[in-house]
Amino acid sequence: MIRRLLFSYLSLMLLVLLALEVPFGFVYARSELSRFSNTAELGAVTLAGVCEERLEHGLVSDLPGLARGYARRTGSSVVVTDRTGIVLTDTADPSAAGRNVSAEPDISTALHHGPATGISADLVPGRKVLFVTVPGTSNDGVPCVVRSLYSLTPLAERVQATWVALALVALGALAVAALIGFAFARWITRPLRDLEQATAQLAYGRLTHPPVPDRGPPELRRLVASFTHTATRLQHLLHAQEAFASEASHQLKTPLTSLRLRLENFEPHLAPRAQASLNEALGEVGRLSRMVQGLLALARLENAATTPEPVDLDAVVADRAAIWTAFAGEQRVGITVAGTRIGTVWAVQGALEQIIDNLLSNALRVSPPGTTITLATVGAPADSGRTESLVELHVTDQGPGMSETDRKRAFDRFWRAADAHHDGTGLGLPMVQRLTLASGGEVTLEAAPGGGLDAVVRLRPAQAARTRTQAPAHRRIPALRGHGPAGSRTAAETVSRQDS
């Protein structure tokens, strides 16, 4: 914005200078030419009077001296003719004496009692000169004619010097206007820059340096004050929401544990036909407990600021596949690793492990016995939608898959498919999405070829990013907008499984 404001100031200043200086330059050039012509004509008239006086007294021999003296004083060349147009003297060409020049236009005009003044390129070969031709006046006709020729070079140099001076004045004025305009533009845009920084901070969850509402124009000061009030109110609401989720989850842990123990204590005293209801109640309590643990994990993610760092994707994939192979073998489901070696990618600490664990947990829940879950890593080149290449991690199962509508809602927190027949909490995929976004990537669900679901996690390769910059900018995990899919395993389950 500073450049645009400065460009507008300088454009207006330049238009004003052009409107003032260009007409002034042309008027000055015309006035100098007119003044020069008037001075030359006055001098020629004076010289013509002196020559006429010498001719009346028969002192023709004095004319060459008079002409040379006048030519030396004025920097011109002088031609004097008699009443018939015969050259009496010529300071530029003494040999021209005696030549008849009455047919030349200016001489002819002067012989008929009329002065002639103008610019001609014919009188002196190769250059333009100012000529002033005046007749000597007497009662009985025109006794003589005086022609003065002046070089236009001094006049042109003065006019050119004036144009240069005007140009320097214009440049100086533009420089002063640029300095003043730059300071004025910075003063105007300072609140906007502060608002931009504050908005970026607020986007990452916390406004640490609110803009100062005492800079810039009054309108922007009021805008800054309104923004600060709104941001403060929004932060208060977000903190209250986070505190409520965290405190509610903590407060629910103890009653749920106590409820589970009490239900388990009922088991020896129940009739066999009530055993199924007790098992269902214990299952729901367990699911509710896992949901509370998931909410705690999400609350920690919301309150935690993270910085992506280079992580070896190939090593993490191999490690998680080896750990999950035993769990999958209990259900007669195979896990295979495919694709090319990728190397390091940008990810927050521990995010890749949790992402893969949640995706494998979901895939294992829906995979029929005898099928295979595939972990594949591939490189995705840049396309029209993005400017840099990404790395893709595919977790593909051979289960029933999901409809397009369900895939769109799969990242909504607590959401479960209508045909789900498992005890998922609906918090696993929201956590996957949150961790992927915090790592600077994206995650989508796609239909796998031949049936099943293909979870695609796209991350930035650390090698390419390091050549352009150092570690990515500090990133705060954004708040979730939705609720998770059917069959997701909570973060608490993932953490406890890793700890075990």
Side-chain angles (χ1 to χ4, degrees):
M1 177 174 284
I2 293 179
R3 289 194 298 269
R4 289 192 290 270
L5 288 175
L6 190 59
F7 178 75
S8 64
Y9 299 153
L10 294 180
S11 298
L12 291 175
M13 188 66 180
L14 182 61
L15 289 176
V16 171
L17 290 174
L18 290 177
L20 293 177
E21 291 193 350
V22 171
F24 175 79
F26 285 110
V27 170
Y28 173 80
R30 287 196 297 268
S31 64
E32 281 294 296
L33 179 60
S34 177
R35 183 181 64 82
F36 188 47
S37 300
N38 292 336
T39 302
E41 185 173 355
L42 180 61
V45 169
T46 302
L47 179 61
V50 175
C51 291
E52 178 184 358
E53 181 179 356
R54 293 292 191 276
L55 289 174
E56 287 179 355
H57 293 82
L59 302 176
V60 178
S61 60
D62 293 343
L63 295 182
L66 290 174
R68 286 193 298 271
Y70 180 83
R72 186 170 53 252
R73 291 192 303 271
T74 60
S76 61
S77 63
V78 178
V79 176
V80 179
T81 70
D82 61 10
R83 66 178 65 245
T84 62
I86 302 298
V87 175
L88 299 178
T89 182
D90 187 345
T91 59
D93 184 11
S95 63
R99 186 174 60 188
N100 190 343
V101 293
S102 61
E104 295 184 6
D106 59 321
I107 299 295
S108 176
T109 301
L111 290 175
H112 292 82
H113 303 276
T117 304
I119 297 175
S120 174
D122 299 329
L123 296 178
V124 177
R127 60 192 180 100
K128 290 184 178 181
V129 293
L130 172 69
F131 66 87
V132 176
T133 306
V134 296
T137 58
S138 66
N139 295 329
D140 57 350
V142 178
C144 66
V145 172
V146 174
R147 173 200 281 171
S148 300
L149 301 178
Y150 295 86
S151 173
L152 293 176
T153 301
L155 177 63
E157 290 177 349
R158 288 200 303 273
V159 172
Q160 184 178 5
T162 302
W163 279 110
V164 172
L166 291 176
L168 293 177
V169 170
L171 290 177
L174 287 176
V176 173
L179 292 176
I180 298 176
F182 181 74
F184 187 66
R186 283 185 60 85
W187 177 72
I188 289 179
T189 59
R190 180 64 180 271
L192 297 179
R193 295 195 301 273
D194 293 343
L195 281 176
E196 181 183 10
Q197 297 176 358
T199 304
Q201 295 175 12
L202 188 62
Y204 289 119
R206 188 177 299 277
L207 181 59
T208 56
H209 298 87
V212 181
D214 59 353
R215 298 172 179 171
E219 298 81 358
L220 292 180
R221 294 183 184 183
R222 292 193 293 269
L223 175 62
V224 169
S226 300
F227 172 84
T228 303
H229 176 73
T230 303
T232 303
R233 178 64 176 165
L234 181 60
Q235 285 189 107
H236 175 74
L237 294 176
L238 290 175
H239 293 163
Q241 179 185 7
E242 294 171 359
F244 172 77
S246 179
E247 292 173 3
S249 300
H250 277 290
Q251 295 298 325
L252 285 173
K253 288 174 60 178
T254 301
L256 287 174
T257 303
S258 177
L259 178 60
R260 183 180 183 87
L261 292 175
R262 290 179 181 274
L263 289 175
E264 290 176 349
N265 290 335
F266 283 148
E267 187 173 6
H269 307 288
L270 290 178
R273 64 175 179 271
Q275 188 65 40
S277 298
L278 177 62
N279 292 337
E280 292 179 0
L282 288 173
E284 290 299 319
V285 171
R287 179 174 175 271
L288 184 58
S289 179
R290 291 192 299 273
M291 187 177 297
V292 170
Q293 294 291 341
L295 288 175
L296 279 174
L298 288 175
R300 285 193 294 270
L301 286 177
E302 289 174 351
N303 294 322
T306 57
T307 302
E309 58 187 31
V311 179
D312 191 340
L313 176 62
D314 301 315
V316 174
V317 169
D319 176 68
R320 304 322 297 171
I323 291 176
W324 277 87
T325 298
F327 292 96
E330 297 176 357
Q331 301 183 23
R332 295 187 293 115
V333 175
I335 295 181
T336 61
V337 177
T340 59
R341 291 188 60 82
I342 297 301
T344 56
V345 296
W346 288 115
V348 299
Q349 186 176 10
L352 280 180
E353 290 84 351
Q354 295 187 55
I355 290 172
I356 295 175
D357 285 345
N358 278 280
L359 294 178
L360 286 176
S361 175
N362 290 343
L364 189 58
R365 279 197 178 98
V366 299
S367 295
T371 59
T372 300
I373 300 174
T374 303
L375 279 77
T377 53
V378 297
D383 55 22
S384 58
R386 60 177 183 268
T387 58
E388 62 179 353
S389 61
L390 298 177
V391 170
E392 291 185 353
L393 169 64
H394 294 257
V395 180
T396 308
D397 61 59
Q398 296 176 333
M402 300 174 66
S403 65
E404 183 178 358
T405 302
D406 287 348
R407 292 198 302 271
K408 291 180 179 179
R409 298 193 58 189
F411 294 102
D412 295 341
R413 190 188 296 182
F414 299 120
W415 182 85
R416 301 177 66 196
D419 57 350
H421 300 294
H422 46 73
D423 58 351
T425 60
L427 294 175
L429 280 181
M431 183 172 294
V432 169
Q433 185 186 54
R434 183 182 299 277
L435 292 170
T436 304
L437 292 176
S439 301
E442 60 184 22
V443 57
T444 58
L445 297 179
E446 302 174 1
L453 188 67
D454 182 11
V456 183
V457 179
R458 298 179 177 89
L459 299 170
R460 292 183 299 155
Q463 295 92 337
R466 193 181 290 113
T467 60
R468 294 188 301 271
T469 181
Q470 300 298 320
H474 184 78
R475 178 185 291 270
R476 183 175 176 84
I477 300 177
L480 280 179
R481 296 188 297 273
H483 315 291
S488 299
R489 182 167 296 196
T490 65
E493 291 177 295
T494 302
V495 174
S496 64
R497 186 166 54 249
Q498 294 174 13
D499 293 341
S500 62

